[in-house]
Amino acid sequence: MVSKNTICLWYDRDALDAAKFYAETFPDSSVGAVHRAPGDYPSGKQGDVLTVEFTVMGVPCLGLNGGPVFKHSEAFSFQVATDDQAETDRLWNAIVGNGGQESECGWCKDKWGLSWQITPRALIAAIADPDPAAAKRAFEAMMEMRKIDIATIEAARRG
């Protein structure tokens, strides 16, 4: 993978496991080259997986097994626009059910601490509704949720 711009994600020792999970979970995702360390380094030994090239929904990424020093935070997340409740449920449940953690408003973390926004397109449309009252109702409904429930958002939007 030779991309002009690649997202580098720091992992402790399991970048390859994370890349495999993303490739199995998200469409248009795959694992590419796995590079092993040519020598010892602070958090690993020669021959350990150092970096993993992978793609998540068409976005090129590099997983770096840099050790436990730096952790993921909500300051970076993948936002996944879903088409319906079934897709929303499938992705949310895959992330949370594989050792992840729920958060508010459609956010969750995978077991490696990386944040994901599982965001139905219906929610995006509802909070951008040209009717400010409808948008506010949908927004307020979202603020009470963890995983987004499209039917509840649409009901709130309608009033």
Side-chain angles (χ1 to χ4, degrees), residues 79-158:
Q79 184 179 48
V80 182
T82 56
D83 293 325
D84 56 30
Q85 193 66 52
E87 184 181 22
T88 301
D89 292 348
R90 183 184 73 75
L91 296 177
W92 179 275
N93 294 339
I95 292 168
V96 172
N98 187 44
Q101 179 181 14
E102 292 186 354
S103 191
E104 290 84 22
C105 305
W107 290 65
C108 57
K109 287 184 184 179
D110 64 29
K111 73 178 183 179
W112 300 280
L114 187 62
S115 291
W116 297 83
Q117 297 177 62
I118 308 303
T119 309
R121 294 180 195 280
L123 171 63
I124 297 165
I127 62 175
D129 192 298
D131 175 356
K136 184 177 181 193
R137 287 190 304 270
F139 181 78
E140 288 172 347
M142 176 205 63
M143 293 298 292
E144 300 296 319
M145 297 179 184
R146 290 189 174 270
K147 177 175 62 175
I148 302 301
D149 181 281
I150 295 171
T152 301
I153 293 294
E154 290 175 343
R157 182 181 188 184
R158 289 188 303 271

Side-chain angles (χ1 to χ4, degrees), residues 10 21 25 27 38-39 56 61 64 76 78 84 98 120 128 132 137 143 153:
W10 187 291
F21 172 74
T25 303
V56 177
C61 298
L64 169 66
F76 176 88
F78 280 100
D84 56 30
N98 187 44
R137 287 190 304 270
M143 293 298 292
I153 293 294

